[in-house]
DNA sequence: GATGAATGAGTTTTCATTCAT
DNA sequence: GATGAATGAAAACTCATTCAT
């Protein structure tokens, strides 16, 4: 490999064609996972669904875990995009409305990825990373930290950290429940109001 | 769900020896699961760890899932026992102290089963039952429903259901986080105080 | 063991109690084989069906093959008994009527053991003994040899042997087909008449 | 019934290499079956004998039964080919000579596959399809029906069906006996003459 | 003699991964 | 770069048989 080639590769580590392949494979994986479950998601099955050879699949992913990881990252990223947008849109809202707007958006986004999320959470052995959506949680934490700073600026660092740690886990958990496994009888809107309320008052102290 | 052998042995209630085998197998399974993870937990591996033939393993458990299920049920049951005791002990406490006592006990119990719990939650594909500790949640719900009835009797049924649904998921999630993955910097005691606070105020409305 | 005991054992190699066990086991095996097929006929299943311990089963039979072999022998023997009776009853009949009476009896007897016979023929790997009913064939051969001697005494030995060899296989095969797998449209009576006819004329030369 | 791989390869008709693998596996299976019996014919044993990985074996055959079925079908087909040829060659013969020529060919062909046939008939559990060579019987039936039409055109349909049903089973059985288990003393030629005779006269009525 | 818990070799089958073309 | 045939370690599970009680 010439130095030139290496340089140009460093600049665009992912070629246009490669990206196409990667996408095809990931989309196929998402389809299989959502539709047929993790048990059916063999690498060969995914390659067939992507209409790509199994050899090519292994050209773009080192192993199966990497595919699942990319899938997870992708959901994270897509939900994250919507979340971030909602956060910006809510910057001028008062606490309650801002939080609710963000949570509604989050639940909407999660619902839109229900298929993969259910499979990822229920069927995929995660290998020691309890949390399927850590980036979401991080982002949600940052946003909330900002809100608290603005609305209750006096809280000591340690105290805030502890409150955020708990509140974020709980909120994300609540949103997942509302999005993915809400029982028949319970009203989505009311549940979201309640989460909002708990979150706001839980952070106010 | 019952060990395979039980069926064909209804004649004599439960043999001492059978229970011994069941226990050896379950303890071996717990050890392997906690130490080497779910991926390493093949039935043959468990049998070897238990120093029992693979044939015997299948005499007492119909299939691998049954072993995992027993493991889960066992943790559930043991945690449940401590939880129930704490609940009874706290019946005369005021809301805040009662709740805190219960939650402290719960976190203690969860910590004591850290090994299996981490593996069960992180690595075992749950197969559409997102929740590893449903019995705990149910019991916690009943207890809390009682507390609310006593301390805030006027709340309408629907409203209470919604609040309980959310609060229980969130509380259990928070306790699991505190017990199993609390970051270095955060103080266990303070976190528990906060959860208590959030729970109590979250239910008061 | 005293000499006396040995002697008395030689006289009655099978004790009354033992015979009872042997029978229970064989009957259970027959039931399982006829009802659930060879695949379900594990030694443990047979022991359970016989309400006998697996240990006892192996006390009376050296291995599984021996049980199947006894089963086969038993059907053979029971069919044989009826066959022999019919043969004696037909000694004064003319050729055609004698043969037909015997064949009707044979088909009746085979039909009565349909369950086991079907399983033995279709499902049991016979281990190099192509014929499930060799004793029947032998007996049928003897009877027919007699008939031929009487009705066509002049036939040379070699010729007779060849004819009997073929005719007996064919007849037994035909009777099995009529008894066990006769298609809807075909009349049992007419088929038996035809077999009789073919057999008689086939042997006459 | 078709090798597993075929399905996913419809794009290109039939790869030379695939056929090679299928053949190697079938030949290995035939060798093991003929030499060591059905009990020894595990899929791993067959793969080893074929010098093919067990994975490849399952690439070309969905399961063990499919291998046995292919083996059976193959014998059937090869015997059938010779049989059909003989039938065409004998169309101008008179009944007796035509039938004899066909039967001689049939016995020859069966003898040539003795190894597998013996194993298939004696050792392989047939799973409710008593007959190992149904295609042969069908073909033989068609041929014979033709002969009878020509030589004894007046026979009513029902009567002919009954006669054919019996005669074909008996003939095939006789040919198998002659080919596979004829006792020392009996002359092949004479036996074939006799079968011919019986068949011809048995159908004439 | 009777029991039945225990055994473990052996079976079928899957699927992530490699590598020659 | 792409292909896909081939691989083989490993998994879940069965069942004939043994032997201590």
């Amino acid at each position: 490999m010439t130095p030139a080639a290496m340089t140009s590769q460093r600049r665009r580590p992912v070629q246009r064609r490669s990206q196409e392949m990667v996408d095809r494979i990931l989309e196929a994986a998402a389809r299989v996972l959502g539709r047929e479950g993790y048990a059916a998601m063999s690498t060969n099955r995914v390659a067939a669904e992507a209409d790509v050879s199994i050899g090519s699949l292994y050209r773009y992913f080192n192993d199966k875990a990497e595919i699942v990881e990319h899938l997870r990252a992708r959901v994270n990223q897509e939900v994250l995009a919507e979340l971030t947008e909602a956060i910006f849109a809510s910057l001028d809202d008062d606490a309650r409305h801002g939080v609710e707007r963000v949570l509604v958006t989050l639940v909407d986004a999660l619902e839109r990825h229900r298929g993969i999320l259910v499979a990822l959470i229920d069927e995929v052995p995660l290998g020691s990373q309890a949390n399927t959506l850590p980036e979401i949680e991080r982002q949600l934490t940052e946003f909330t930290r900002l809100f608290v700073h603005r609305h209750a600026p006096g809280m000591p660092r340690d105290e805030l950290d502890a409150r955020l740690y708990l509140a974020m886990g709980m909120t994300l958990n609540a949103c997942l429940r509302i999005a993915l496994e809400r029982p028949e009888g319970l009203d989505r809107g009311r549940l979201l109001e309640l989460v909002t309320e708990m979150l706001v008052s839980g952070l106010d102290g």
Side-chain angles (χ1 to χ4, degrees), chain A residues 99-145:
Chain A
V99 168
E100 184 161 14
R101 186 201 290 229
V102 168
L103 294 187
V104 167
T105 306
L106 177 56
V107 169
D108 281 352
L110 293 175
E111 274 176 353
R112 226 167 291 124
H113 295 84
R114 148 181 284 281
I116 306 180
L117 275 172
V118 166
L120 282 174
I121 293 172
D122 289 356
E123 297 191 292
V124 178
L126 292 178
S128 87
Q129 66 231 62
N131 200 327
T132 312
L133 302 170
E135 291 90 347
I136 303 292
E137 184 171 343
R138 227 171 293 140
Q139 174 79 346
L140 217 48
T141 304
E142 287 323 304
F143 156 69
T144 315
R145 191 185 293 278

Side-chain angles (χ1 to χ4, degrees), chain A residues 5-203:
Chain A
M6 291 193 62
T7 313
S8 80
Q9 269 212 331
R10 247 178 234 138
R11 274 178 200 161
R12 301 191 184 200
V14 174
Q15 279 128 4
R16 211 165 298 146
R17 281 336 234 2
S18 298
Q19 192 50 47
E20 233 179 271
M21 294 286 278
V22 166
D23 285 349
R24 268 170 83 169
I25 293 166
L26 287 176
E27 264 143 40
R31 250 174 288 142
V32 172
L33 191 59
R35 200 197 296 140
E36 301 165 49
Y38 184 68
M41 190 200 146
S42 75
T43 50
N44 284 284
R45 177 77 187 75
V46 169
E49 175 84 18
D51 213 6
V52 147
S53 75
I54 181 66
S56 294
L57 184 150
Y58 274 89
R59 182 154 189 80
Y60 294 104
F61 296 91
N62 286 315
D63 56 26
K64 190 184 176 180
E66 211 173 282
I67 298 179
V68 174
E69 174 51 24
H70 273 251
L71 234 43
R72 198 201 51 72
R74 204 182 225 215
V75 173
N76 241 297
Q77 189 204 33
E78 290 182 22
V79 174
L80 203 51
E82 301 187 51
L83 189 64
T84 306
E85 200 179 354
I87 286 174
F88 274 99
S90 69
L91 284 180
D92 298 326
D93 295 357
D94 64 86
R96 168 152 322 233
H97 286 111
V99 168
E100 184 161 14
R101 186 201 290 229
V102 168
L103 294 187
V104 167
T105 306
L106 177 56
V107 169
D108 281 352
L110 293 175
E111 274 176 353
R112 226 167 291 124
H113 295 84
R114 148 181 284 281
I116 306 180
L117 275 172
V118 166
L120 282 174
I121 293 172
D122 289 356
E123 297 191 292
V124 178
L126 292 178
S128 87
Q129 66 231 62
N131 200 327
T132 312
L133 302 170
E135 291 90 347
I136 303 292
E137 184 171 343
R138 227 171 293 140
Q139 174 79 346
L140 217 48
T141 304
E142 287 323 304
F143 156 69
T144 315
R145 191 185 293 278
L146 198 79
F147 248 84
V148 176
H149 261 307
R150 220 191 260 184
H151 298 278
M155 193 177 290
R157 175 73 190 217
D158 274 12
E159 182 63 18
L160 181 55
D161 281 350
R163 282 174 186 255
L164 282 175
Y165 175 70
L166 287 177
M168 291 309 100
M170 291 163 99
T171 302
L172 196 46
N173 182 263
C175 288
L176 281 168
R177 290 194 127 193
I178 295 173
L180 308 180
E181 56 163 27
R182 170 163 39 92
E184 294 266 328
L186 301 183
D187 179 65
R188 203 184 101 123
R190 182 61 189 137
L191 288 172
L192 275 166
E193 269 175 44
L194 281 171
V195 179
T196 304
E197 215 177 276
M198 290 183 195
L199 183 52
V200 169
S201 74
L203 288 167

